[in-house]
Amino acid sequence: MELVSGERVVNGSVKRAYPLQSLRSASGDGPAASPGGGELGTFGPGVGPCGPDASQLVAITSCLVFFYDKWATKMQSLKRHYKVQVKGRGLVALEWEAGAETEERVQCIVVAERNVLKKTLDRQPRFFTFPHSLHIEIAYEEPQRLPESDQLRYLPSKTVTTRDLHSDGYADIYGVIINVTLPKKTSGRDFCMTVSVTDESCPTRAAAIQINIFYPSIAKMPKIKTPRNTASCSPRGERTWARKSLAEDDTLPQGCALAPKLLSELKFAEGFIDLVVRVLNLDDSDEPVRLTVWDGSGNAADSDRSLVRALQDKGAAVPPYGLLKEVIMSSCWPVVREMGFVEGMLTNWCRFRNLAVGVDEPIPGAAVAPGGREILRFREVTSFVLMPDFALDVKRRCSLTNRPNSSTTANDDQIRAAEENLVSPVEVATVIPDRIQKKIPVTPLCEILSSSQTPRKFHCCARVRSIWPTDIEKICKPKPGSDCEFIYSFALTVEEGSNSMNIIVYGKDAEHFLHGIPPCDLSKSTSSKTLLKKRFAALLKSPNAFHWCIKSYSVSLPPGRSADPGTAVRHRLFDTLLQCS
């Protein structure tokens, strides 16, 4: 046995191969075979170190190797004169008493699955060291005797790896998701998405296992929303391994011929490209949806001015360094939204794969930059995945601006801190539908408060006095029955003269009011919280009265809360948008 690059390697020609032997009763619940039972016990090396914990065994001699359970099934074709190479970090080497009638101890190799090794260690603690990786690769060549000759020739080598053990059945796996394709309609009734998974046995993106997931609707597909969720079901050790492995992995996912390009390299790109970027702005007010993206490369002065103005209009930070570009999404946007990617898209690094590159297609109403500009289109063949901040591609882009990469949140804070003095102060106004503003008269607050008719809609004009809850992180809370989906729920106190009224802002009406800031966990999403603070601060500081569309409705009160028959009138916001300038 040799040690090559940290892996144990066994090379040799099989002197004797003991056929597949069952170590348990036919029912599967009987005791394991005794070390002295059967051919292996009488004439051979016994059932090996893991025999009492396994159900099947194949053994070969030259260098003594025990194959257990599924490995035994895969290796049962081995016979005398086969050339075999066994290697991998998952091999266990230890001494074993070879034969029931001898005290001779020989070096042996154990090839077994995780569950068998764990059972053996539970039975005999410290018998051997559990391997850090279970990757094993076995290559063998079958001998063929030449006609009328004692010479042998060998057929081409065949290889079996750990990944092949579960190719014919079902398996439960722990792993780290490194790529996701969006669900697409199959030729049948289902939708299909592909998830690429790695673990210690296939630790690189190039070696990831691809899992196809089929469901009759997109709503039933698993939602992989943030980089933290990609390993949330895996053990703690797996997550620790993932951070180290992905931070050093410079291989490319299957099907990727080239590494992701920088935005500054787009002028040299043709056809389809991959990008790793931050999404700074999302405009879904009209079709198609437009994303403003940035990766720190290039010259900020070369950015399209309309993209810069769009960021400033929303009160978002404009990075003082790096080129801004635009990604256009049309038919794929409903799928991206239904898969729950919108929140993470605005707070994490994103990898777009197979973006179509085009030129000279201006934003409607905007002047075309001299020499044209590159347009990126999100097509049906494009895939999208959120990237953890420790991934190598992300760290390379952060190094372009010499910024530390402690976390994605830190990146947001640094962009905003650098830009704080460059962005004009936020001013806000409310926008309501023209038909209401022009045709529906303004109703004074005193009349609205005195009206007991429900339901009823009003157009009013009042300034904002306060917002509840005062803690900005509490205006967005988890949806009932879900820990990963959030919903806005807060109240505005508006006043007109000596009259004041509470307006409830909730759900889809709140998302419309806070257009461009999807509901999320505000205790973690620094970028969204910063934008909300700016807008709410401007709303409270403004001396102006704003136009509001509200509707009254009745709610039942608990007994003892009111002298009336137990109902109260509440007012809720609708069709009102908070506009920043």
Side-chain angles (χ1 to χ4, degrees):
M1 183 178 68
E2 303 174 281
L3 198 64
V4 179
S5 300
E7 291 188 341
R8 293 188 171 98
V9 179
V10 178
N11 284 295
S13 180
V14 177
K15 291 184 177 179
R16 181 166 185 182
Y18 297 90
L20 181 68
Q21 177 176 348
S22 175
L23 302 181
R24 297 187 181 276
S25 64
S27 63
D29 55 4
S34 64
E39 181 186 3
L40 287 176
T42 305
F43 303 104
V47 296
C50 300
D53 311 298
S55 58
Q56 296 184 109
L57 169 66
V58 164
I60 61 173
T61 61
S62 175
C63 175
L64 180 57
V65 183
F66 293 99
F67 301 96
Y68 292 102
D69 288 3
K70 290 188 177 180
W71 278 113
T73 302
K74 292 288 185 182
M75 295 294 108
Q76 62 180 316
S77 61
L78 295 183
K79 293 181 175 58
R80 190 182 181 193
H81 298 309
Y82 270 62
K83 287 183 179 179
V84 178
Q85 182 189 71
V86 184
K87 66 178 182 178
R89 298 179 184 272
L91 299 180
V92 175
L94 68 165
E95 287 189 344
W96 175 249
E97 186 176 307
E101 299 179 358
T102 176
E103 295 182 355
E104 179 187 4
R105 300 184 69 83
V106 298
Q107 186 82 2
C108 75
I109 297 294
V110 171
V111 180
E113 298 163 86
R114 181 193 298 266
N115 62 315
V116 175
L117 297 177
K118 283 190 173 181
K119 287 179 182 178
T120 301
L121 282 178
D122 290 342
R123 180 172 51 84
Q124 291 183 272
R126 300 183 181 179
F127 189 29
F128 55 83
T129 301
F130 194 86
H132 293 294
S133 170
L134 294 178
H135 178 66
I136 296 174
E137 181 179 301
I138 301 175
Y140 61 90
E141 298 177 24
E142 181 182 349
Q144 295 285 308
R145 191 173 298 278
L146 296 175
E148 300 179 358
S149 172
D150 291 335
Q151 294 183 353
L152 296 175
R153 68 179 180 89
Y154 288 88
L155 298 179
S157 176
K158 296 182 180 179
T159 302
V160 179
T161 68
T162 305
R163 294 174 59 178
D164 300 321
L165 295 185
H166 304 287
S167 59
D168 300 324
Y170 297 93
D172 295 329
I173 63 171
Y174 285 115
V176 179
I177 296 172
I178 54 93
N179 195 45
V180 180
T181 64
L182 295 177
K184 295 180 177 64
K185 192 75 171 67
T186 66
S187 57
R189 298 180 179 179
D190 291 337
F191 287 84
C192 175
M193 66 181 288
T194 301
V195 175
S196 299
V197 181
T198 65
D199 66 2
E200 298 102 317
S201 66
C202 45
T204 63
R205 292 184 294 179
I209 297 175
Q210 292 190 330
I211 302 173
N212 293 325
I213 302 174
F214 294 89
Y215 275 105
S217 67
I218 296 177
K220 293 185 177 181
M221 286 288 182
K223 304 299 188 293
I224 303 167
K225 298 180 182 178
T226 71
R228 291 175 291 279
N229 286 350
T230 59
S232 61
C233 63
S234 58
R236 181 181 297 274
E238 191 95 339
R239 294 197 293 270
T240 303
W241 163 83
R243 291 188 67 91
K244 183 176 185 300
S245 177
L246 292 179
E248 300 172 353
D249 183 15
D250 59 356
T251 65
L252 299 176
Q254 297 177 29
C256 290
L258 299 172
K261 288 187 176 295
L262 298 173
L263 290 177
S264 59
E265 300 172 336
L266 283 186
K267 57 186 175 182
F268 306 112
E270 295 181 359
F272 294 87
I273 65 165
D274 297 354
L275 292 176
V276 173
V277 295
R278 285 295 306 272
V279 177
L280 302 184
N281 184 39
L282 187 159
D283 183 5
D284 60 351
S285 59
D286 197 5
E287 290 288 344
V289 174
R290 297 175 182 270
L291 311 178
T292 302
V293 297
W294 169 90
D295 66 0
S297 68
N299 190 345
D302 295 334
S303 299
D304 191 295
R305 299 311 302 169
S306 61
L307 301 180
V308 176
R309 285 195 299 272
L311 288 178
Q312 293 174 338
D313 289 345
K314 283 199 169 183
V318 181
Y321 39 76
L323 182 66
L324 298 179
K325 285 291 181 181
E326 185 176 55
V327 175
I328 297 177
M329 304 180 70
S330 52
S331 59
C332 294
W333 176 247
V335 179
V336 173
R337 184 177 54 205
E338 192 167 352
M339 289 296 291
F341 281 128
V342 177
E343 174 194 339
M345 181 183 290
L346 293 168
T347 55
N348 296 279
W349 284 86
C350 309
R351 187 177 78 235
F352 293 91
R353 185 176 172 190
N354 287 334
L355 281 172
V357 183
V359 293
D360 292 332
E361 186 172 339
I363 298 176
V368 181
R373 62 190 183 94
E374 297 81 20
I375 291 294
L376 300 164
R377 287 192 172 274
F378 196 105
R379 302 289 193 186
E380 282 72 12
V381 296
T382 306
S383 65
F384 170 84
V385 67
L386 302 174
M387 299 285 285
D389 60 337
F390 52 80
L392 191 59
D393 289 326
V394 173
K395 292 197 296 185
R396 285 172 175 169
R397 279 147 184 79
C398 289
S399 67
L400 296 175
T401 56
N402 295 318
R403 292 184 293 122
N405 188 36
S406 58
S407 69
T408 303
T409 299
N411 292 342
D412 288 337
D413 292 340
Q414 289 156 7
I415 292 174
R416 282 166 176 75
E419 190 60 20
E420 188 170 351
N421 296 325
L422 301 179
V423 180
S424 57
V426 175
E427 295 183 2
V428 293
T430 57
V431 178
I432 63 175
D434 284 343
R435 68 181 189 280
I436 295 178
Q437 187 159 1
K438 294 178 180 179
K439 297 183 179 181
I440 306 298
V442 173
T443 304
L445 287 190
C446 59
E447 291 187 21
I448 298 175
L449 292 169
S450 62
S451 174
S452 59
Q453 179 183 348
T454 59
R456 185 179 176 185
K457 295 182 178 180
F458 300 94
H459 170 203
C460 66
C461 195
R463 68 173 297 274
V464 177
R465 187 176 71 187
S466 64
I467 301 173
W468 185 89
T470 55
D471 185 350
I472 198 75
E473 293 182 4
K474 295 181 180 179
I475 72 167
C476 204
K477 59 185 181 181
K479 285 186 177 181
S482 174
D483 293 330
C484 55
E485 295 186 28
F486 291 80
I487 189 169
Y488 282 118
S489 179
F490 60 96
L492 303 173
T493 301
V494 298
E495 62 182 8
E496 180 190 30
S498 59
N499 297 298
S500 64
M501 179 178 65
N502 293 327
I503 302 176
I504 296 171
V505 189
Y506 182 82
K508 294 296 183 182
D509 293 321
E511 290 185 43
H512 177 70
F513 180 67
L514 300 172
H515 177 74
I517 311 178
C520 60
D521 186 352
L522 294 175
S523 64
K524 299 177 181 178
S525 180
T526 302
S527 58
S528 295
K529 185 165 66 175
T530 301
L531 288 176
L532 286 171
K533 282 183 176 179
K534 286 185 178 181
R535 294 188 187 183
F536 282 1
L539 198 61
L540 292 170
K541 289 179 181 178
S542 176
N544 301 326
F546 300 107
H547 289 271
W548 309 95
C549 294
I550 61 174
K551 52 188 173 184
S552 62
Y553 63 99
S554 298
V555 295
S556 299
L557 296 177
R561 290 283 300 274
S562 173
D564 295 329
T567 62
V569 177
R570 299 284 187 264
H571 300 89
R572 181 170 169 175
L573 191 72
F574 76 97
D575 275 356
T576 305
L577 183 143
L578 184 63
Q579 187 178 62
C580 302
S581 59

